[in-house]
Amino acid sequence: MSEPGWSARRTSTWLWAVTLALGLLIGIGLYTFVYARGGSYLTDNPAACINCHVMRDQYAGWLKGSHRSVAVCNDCHTPDGVIAKYTAKAKYGFLHAYAFTTGRFPDEIQITPHMHALTERTCLKCHAPIVEAMTVSGAAHDTPACLRCHGDVGHH
């Protein structure tokens, strides 16, 4: 048999270790969020996108482009709706933070298939009257692929 109080000491030690680990995890997470200017990503300010050096060319292109007066990064690169928008921002924020922390990112960024589809939908939403005039039947398979010809729009 074990001595009285042994189980309580074991539980207390385990609880202390879990609390310490959780505190460290939260502390490191908060430090990283502040260091990486995480609060800026909660806004619609396009300058947040240049927190990462690989986005500077895209930002400079946006500044010189025609969309600067009508759209910010989030208009084209996040889905509609508050929940969907911030869910996407959290997902991509985590993936970007992981890529930059581990150094696993290309020197020249590439659009993902998911982001490509999202951006195409945004083009079609904002430019619906023009697109409707271009399509013969109005069917989805008649819809042009905007980025095939206009891939540099917004980011020259």
Side-chain angles (χ1 to χ4, degrees), residues 37 49-62:
R37 293 175 253 158
C49 297
I50 60 169
N51 285 346
C52 304
H53 70 277
V54 298
M55 291 301 297
R56 291 198 175 122
D57 289 343
Q58 285 73 20
Y59 181 73
W62 173 79

Side-chain angles (χ1 to χ4, degrees), residues 18 61 66 103 113:
V18 168
S66 61

